[in-house]
Amino acid sequence: MTLEQKIGQFFFPAVFINDTEENIQKIERLIRDYNIGGLTFFHSRASAATNYESKKKVEFNDDSYQRLKELIIRYQKSASTPLLMSIDAEWGLAMRVEKTPQYPYAITLGALPERKIDLVYQVGKQIGLDLKSAGIHYNLAPLADINNNPNNPVIGYRSFGSNKEKVAQYALEYLRGMSDVGILGCLKHFPGHGNTNVDSHLGLPVLEENLEQLLENELVPFIKGIENQVDSIMIGHLAVPALNGGKETSATLSKNIIESLLREKLGYDGLVISDALNMHSVSKLYKTKGQLEWEAFNAGNDVLCFAENVPEGIQAILKNASPERIEASLNRIMKCKEKAGLFEKNPNPAADFNFKATSALNRKIADYCITEIKDKNSSILLFDSKNREKLAKLSVYKSIENPFFKTLENVLPSPEYAIENGNDLTETTIKEDLIPFDTILISLFVPKAKPLNKFELEDSVLEFLGQLFQTKKCILYVFGNPYALQVIPNLDYTYGIVEMYQDFTEFQESAAEQLMEDKKGKGSLPVSLTNI
């Protein structure tokens, strides 16, 4: 390779599964002309990092998985050096590709008792096998962030929780599962994105902690990862003034954070990858094309993820970097490519994914993560009120045709009602319909996993729930992010609260069976809630 071709290996531009033929051909030219090292796949331009919070509509395509497989083959054919194919698949390929297996969020896995940590390993392994089936070698997951800020707009459900030891342990098991089937992993977002309240896709979060505090908490999972030879570490777009002479410089562009802290102090010599360089916290800093890429490389990143200025970035690095530094980063990338089997002559063909295996694993996780936050003899209360014909079931944000109600209907028959959106409170007779009942079993399907706009729980619905809790004996099942409980009023008045974390069929059926058999929930809340 020429020096320019070696530098090309540091670039991992974004590619979009559902893209135009014109754009696909542009990427093929980029691969041929600049010997780029890898690609990072997104579903479509509308779904990519900085567009995610915008109003751009994501067009779904049932053929996305097939397109992904075909594009990978096509792009590899354009490459003289095999490409390392990467994707964000924190909870499986389904994070980016529809009609593919989806596994529980990290916060759900964080609810599992430690004796069932093997289920976290199994999730890592299954995700690894699914990625392999598509031709992906490198999962930009899991998070090592400790979610110790309930108002965090972007980490939350993606973290294993607020306990540093548990986050470290569960992240390592997830990585081990992937590694055992030949998939590279990545701990992110160094030095820790948990205690922030700004979305780094859109702005620059600032961590106020000093080094001593970071070593005590945020850095613990990363240190454990380094001790266990983690394949790669992703640097987050967040500022830590205490490590930067008081300056609010993004960690991605900070030699102090990458070279001094991560490499020298913590002794990490593995692959360092930047967070997406199109994110607004860094993408708008430099007017000259290629300067951002140079600054990120100069700070210590080996891989420039979502680099938007490949030709200019190569020239900037060529002009400014030492040959020794170029060789060091190239060696790290080649080591990862070798580990992922990119230079094997006849790799074994990967089997397609298995939805049955996914479902069986999800059901096991559901059974062990059920978290009883509050229980005033809920089961006895429900069966007693059913016998007196004073029980009603209320589904919020889903119709009554849900697996939770379906599983309960034979053992706990009662009238069923639904509020599918706030309009139902004024356009139907639901308020009057519920008056005769003294006990209500409520299944709340939280609309969104992110806290933006109160998880999209409408004020009218929250107000109505708050009134029900005060006037009826209510048992609440929450299928969604537990942080949503913080925006629900009058929870003190409830008789029971059960947190289920996901709305998958397996989780709904598990919840219903646990209720019918009056079993104790085995899970525990992985985060702290202020109002419970």
Coordinates of all heavy atoms in Angstrom, one line a residue, residues 257-304:
I257 N -7.5 13.4 26.4 CA -8.4 12.3 26.8 C -8.0 11.0 26.1 O -8.0 10.0 26.8 CB -9.9 12.7 26.5 CG1 -10.3 13.9 27.5 CG2 -10.8 11.5 26.6 CD1 -11.6 14.5 27.2
I258 N -7.6 11.1 24.8 CA -7.3 9.8 24.1 C -5.9 9.4 24.4 O -5.7 8.3 24.9 CB -7.6 9.9 22.6 CG1 -9.1 10.4 22.4 CG2 -7.3 8.6 21.9 CD1 -9.4 10.6 20.9
E259 N -4.9 10.2 24.1 CA -3.5 9.8 24.3 C -3.1 9.8 25.7 O -2.6 8.8 26.2 CB -2.6 10.8 23.5 CG -2.8 10.8 22.0 CD -2.3 9.6 21.3 OE1 -1.8 8.7 22.0 OE2 -2.5 9.5 20.0
S260 N -3.4 10.9 26.5 CA -2.8 10.9 27.9 C -3.6 10.0 28.8 O -3.0 9.2 29.5 CB -2.9 12.3 28.4 OG -2.2 13.2 27.5
L261 N -5.0 10.1 28.8 CA -5.8 9.3 29.7 C -5.9 7.8 29.2 O -5.5 6.9 29.9 CB -7.1 9.9 29.9 CG -8.1 9.1 30.8 CD1 -7.6 8.9 32.2 CD2 -9.5 9.9 30.9
L262 N -6.5 7.6 28.0 CA -6.9 6.3 27.6 C -5.6 5.4 27.3 O -5.5 4.3 27.7 CB -7.8 6.3 26.4 CG -8.3 5.0 25.8 CD1 -9.0 4.2 26.8 CD2 -9.2 5.3 24.6
R263 N -4.7 6.0 26.5 CA -3.5 5.2 26.0 C -2.5 5.1 27.2 O -2.1 4.0 27.5 CB -2.9 5.9 24.8 CG -3.7 5.9 23.6 CD -3.6 4.6 22.8 NE -4.2 4.7 21.5 CZ -4.9 3.7 21.0 NH1 -5.2 2.6 21.7 NH2 -5.4 3.8 19.8
E264 N -2.1 6.3 27.7 CA -1.0 6.3 28.7 C -1.4 5.9 30.1 O -0.9 4.9 30.6 CB -0.3 7.6 28.7 CG 0.5 7.9 27.4 CD 0.9 9.4 27.2 OE1 1.0 10.1 28.2 OE2 1.0 9.8 26.0
K265 N -2.3 6.6 30.6 CA -2.7 6.3 32.0 C -3.4 4.9 32.2 O -3.1 4.2 33.1 CB -3.6 7.4 32.6 CG -3.9 7.3 34.1 CD -4.5 8.5 34.7 CE -4.7 8.3 36.2 NZ -3.5 8.2 37.0
L266 N -4.4 4.7 31.3 CA -5.1 3.4 31.4 C -4.5 2.2 30.6 O -5.0 1.1 30.7 CB -6.6 3.6 31.0 CG -7.4 4.7 31.7 CD1 -8.8 4.8 31.2 CD2 -7.3 4.5 33.2
G267 N -3.5 2.5 29.8 CA -2.7 1.5 29.2 C -3.4 0.7 28.1 O -3.2 -0.4 27.8
Y268 N -4.3 1.4 27.3 CA -5.1 0.8 26.3 C -4.3 0.9 24.9 O -4.0 2.0 24.5 CB -6.4 1.4 26.1 CG -7.3 0.8 25.1 CD1 -7.6 -0.6 25.1 CD2 -7.7 1.5 24.0 CE1 -8.4 -1.2 24.2 CE2 -8.5 0.9 23.0 CZ -8.8 -0.5 23.1 OH -9.6 -1.1 22.1
D269 N -4.1 -0.3 24.3 CA -3.4 -0.2 23.0 C -4.3 -0.8 21.9 O -3.8 -1.2 20.8 CB -2.1 -1.0 23.1 CG -1.2 -0.7 21.8 OD1 -1.3 0.5 21.3 OD2 -0.6 -1.6 21.3
G270 N -5.6 -1.0 22.1 CA -6.5 -1.5 21.1 C -7.0 -0.4 20.2 O -6.5 0.7 20.2
L271 N -7.9 -0.7 19.4 CA -8.5 0.2 18.4 C -9.3 1.3 19.0 O -10.2 1.0 19.8 CB -9.3 -0.6 17.4 CG -9.7 0.1 16.1 CD1 -8.5 0.2 15.1 CD2 -10.8 -0.7 15.3
V272 N -9.1 2.5 18.6 CA -9.9 3.6 19.1 C -10.7 4.2 17.9 O -10.1 4.5 16.9 CB -9.1 4.7 19.7 CG1 -9.9 6.0 20.0 CG2 -8.4 4.3 21.0
I273 N -12.0 4.2 18.0 CA -12.9 4.7 17.0 C -13.6 6.0 17.4 O -14.1 6.0 18.6 CB -13.9 3.6 16.5 CG1 -14.8 4.1 15.4 CG2 -14.7 3.0 17.7 CD1 -15.7 3.0 14.7
S274 N -13.8 6.9 16.6 CA -14.5 8.1 16.9 C -16.0 7.8 16.9 O -16.4 6.9 16.2 CB -14.2 9.3 15.9 OG -14.9 9.0 14.7
D275 N -16.8 8.6 17.6 CA -18.2 8.6 17.4 C -18.4 9.3 16.0 O -17.5 9.9 15.5 CB -19.0 9.3 18.5 CG -20.4 8.8 18.7 OD1 -20.9 8.2 17.8 OD2 -21.0 9.1 19.7
A276 N -19.7 9.1 15.5 CA -19.9 9.6 14.2 C -19.5 11.1 14.0 O -20.0 12.0 14.7 CB -21.4 9.5 13.8
L277 N -18.7 11.3 13.0 CA -18.2 12.7 12.8 C -19.2 13.6 12.1 O -18.9 14.8 11.8 CB -16.9 12.7 12.0 CG -15.7 12.0 12.7 CD1 -14.4 12.0 11.8 CD2 -15.4 12.7 14.0
N278 N -20.4 13.1 11.8 CA -21.4 14.0 11.2 C -22.2 14.7 12.4 O -23.1 15.5 12.1 CB -22.3 13.3 10.3 CG -23.3 12.4 11.0 OD1 -22.9 11.8 12.0 ND2 -24.5 12.3 10.6
M279 N -22.0 14.2 13.6 CA -22.8 14.7 14.7 C -22.5 16.2 15.0 O -21.4 16.6 14.9 CB -22.6 13.8 15.9 CG -23.3 12.5 15.8 SD -22.7 11.2 16.8 CE -23.2 11.7 18.4
H280 N -23.6 16.9 15.3 CA -23.5 18.4 15.3 C -22.5 18.9 16.3 O -22.1 20.1 16.2 CB -24.9 19.0 15.5 CG -25.8 18.8 14.3 ND1 -27.1 19.2 14.3 CD2 -25.5 18.3 13.1 CE1 -27.7 18.9 13.1 NE2 -26.7 18.3 12.4
S281 N -22.2 18.2 17.4 CA -21.3 18.6 18.4 C -19.9 18.9 17.9 O -19.1 19.6 18.4 CB -21.3 17.7 19.6 OG -21.2 16.3 19.1
V282 N -19.6 18.2 16.7 CA -18.2 18.4 16.1 C -18.3 18.8 14.7 O -17.4 19.5 14.2 CB -17.3 17.1 16.3 CG1 -17.0 16.8 17.7 CG2 -18.0 15.9 15.6
S283 N -19.4 18.4 13.9 CA -19.4 18.5 12.5 C -19.3 20.0 12.0 O -18.9 20.3 10.9 CB -20.6 17.8 11.9 OG -21.8 18.4 12.3
K284 N -19.8 20.9 12.9 CA -19.9 22.3 12.5 C -18.7 23.2 12.9 O -18.7 24.4 12.8 CB -21.2 22.9 13.0 CG -22.4 22.2 12.4 CD -23.7 22.8 12.8 CE -24.9 22.1 12.3 NZ -25.0 21.8 10.9
L285 N -17.7 22.5 13.5 CA -16.6 23.2 14.1 C -15.6 23.8 13.1 O -15.0 24.9 13.3 CB -15.8 22.3 15.0 CG -16.4 21.9 16.3 CD1 -15.5 21.0 17.1 CD2 -16.8 23.1 17.2
Y286 N -15.4 23.1 11.9 CA -14.4 23.6 11.0 C -14.9 23.8 9.6 O -15.7 23.0 9.1 CB -13.2 22.5 10.9 CG -12.7 22.1 12.2 CD1 -13.0 20.9 12.9 CD2 -11.8 23.0 12.9 CE1 -12.5 20.6 14.1 CE2 -11.2 22.7 14.1 CZ -11.6 21.5 14.7 OH -11.1 21.2 16.0
K287 N -14.6 24.9 9.0 CA -15.1 25.2 7.7 C -14.3 24.5 6.6 O -14.8 24.1 5.6 CB -15.0 26.7 7.4 CG -16.1 27.5 8.2 CD -16.1 28.9 7.9 CE -17.2 29.6 8.8 NZ -17.0 31.1 8.9
T288 N -13.0 24.3 6.8 CA -12.2 23.6 5.8 C -12.4 22.1 5.8 O -12.3 21.4 6.8 CB -10.7 23.9 6.1 OG1 -10.5 25.3 6.3 CG2 -9.8 23.4 5.0
K289 N -12.8 21.6 4.6 CA -13.1 20.1 4.5 C -11.8 19.4 4.8 O -10.7 19.7 4.3 CB -13.6 19.8 3.1 CG -15.0 20.2 2.9 CD -15.5 19.6 1.5 CE -16.9 19.8 1.3 NZ -17.4 19.2 0.1
G290 N -11.9 18.3 5.6 CA -10.8 17.5 5.9 C -10.1 17.9 7.3 O -9.4 17.1 7.9
Q291 N -10.4 19.1 7.8 CA -9.7 19.5 9.0 C -10.3 18.7 10.2 O -9.5 18.3 11.1 CB -9.9 21.0 9.2 CG -9.0 21.5 10.4 CD -9.1 23.0 10.7 OE1 -9.6 23.7 9.9 NE2 -8.5 23.4 11.8
L292 N -11.6 18.5 10.2 CA -12.2 17.7 11.3 C -11.6 16.3 11.4 O -11.2 15.8 12.4 CB -13.7 17.6 11.2 CG -14.4 16.7 12.1 CD1 -14.2 17.1 13.6 CD2 -15.9 16.6 11.8
E293 N -11.4 15.7 10.2 CA -10.9 14.3 10.1 C -9.4 14.3 10.6 O -9.0 13.4 11.4 CB -10.9 13.8 8.7 CG -12.3 13.4 8.2 CD -13.3 14.6 7.9 OE1 -12.8 15.7 7.9 OE2 -14.4 14.3 7.6
W294 N -8.6 15.3 10.2 CA -7.3 15.4 10.7 C -7.2 15.6 12.3 O -6.5 15.0 13.0 CB -6.5 16.6 10.0 CG -5.3 17.1 10.9 CD1 -5.2 18.3 11.4 CD2 -4.2 16.3 11.3 NE1 -4.0 18.4 12.1 CE2 -3.4 17.2 12.1 CE3 -3.8 15.0 11.1 CZ2 -2.2 16.8 12.7 CZ3 -2.6 14.6 11.7 CH2 -1.8 15.5 12.4
E295 N -8.1 16.6 12.8 CA -8.1 16.8 14.2 C -8.5 15.6 15.0 O -7.9 15.3 16.1 CB -9.0 18.0 14.5 CG -8.7 19.3 13.9 CD -7.5 20.0 14.5 OE1 -6.9 19.5 15.5 OE2 -7.0 21.0 13.9
A296 N -9.4 14.8 14.5 CA -9.9 13.6 15.2 C -8.7 12.6 15.2 O -8.5 11.9 16.2 CB -11.1 13.1 14.5
F297 N -8.0 12.4 14.0 CA -6.9 11.5 13.9 C -5.8 11.9 14.8 O -5.2 11.1 15.6 CB -6.5 11.4 12.5 CG -5.3 10.4 12.3 CD1 -5.6 9.0 12.3 CD2 -4.0 10.8 12.1 CE1 -4.5 8.1 12.2 CE2 -3.0 9.9 12.0 CZ -3.2 8.6 12.0
N298 N -5.5 13.2 14.8 CA -4.4 13.8 15.6 C -4.6 13.6 17.1 O -3.7 13.4 17.9 CB -4.2 15.3 15.2 CG -3.0 15.9 15.9 OD1 -1.9 15.2 15.9 ND2 -3.1 17.0 16.4
A299 N -5.9 13.6 17.5 CA -6.2 13.5 18.9 C -6.0 12.1 19.4 O -5.9 11.8 20.6 CB -7.7 13.9 19.1
G300 N -6.0 11.1 18.4 CA -5.7 9.7 18.8 C -6.6 8.7 18.3 O -6.5 7.5 18.5
N301 N -7.7 9.1 17.5 CA -8.6 8.1 16.9 C -7.9 7.3 15.8 O -7.2 7.9 15.0 CB -9.8 8.8 16.4 CG -10.7 9.4 17.4 OD1 -11.4 8.7 18.2 ND2 -10.6 10.7 17.6
D302 N -8.1 6.0 15.8 CA -7.6 5.2 14.6 C -8.6 5.1 13.5 O -8.2 5.1 12.3 CB -7.3 3.7 15.1 CG -6.3 3.7 16.2 OD1 -5.2 4.2 16.1 OD2 -6.7 3.1 17.3
V303 N -9.9 5.0 13.9 CA -11.0 4.9 12.9 C -11.8 6.2 12.9 O -12.2 6.6 14.0 CB -11.8 3.7 13.1 CG1 -13.1 3.7 12.3 CG2 -11.0 2.4 12.9
L304 N -12.1 6.7 11.8 CA -12.9 7.9 11.7 C -14.3 7.5 11.2 O -14.5 7.3 10.0 CB -12.3 9.0 10.7 CG -10.8 9.3 11.1 CD1 -10.1 10.1 10.0 CD2 -10.7 10.0 12.5

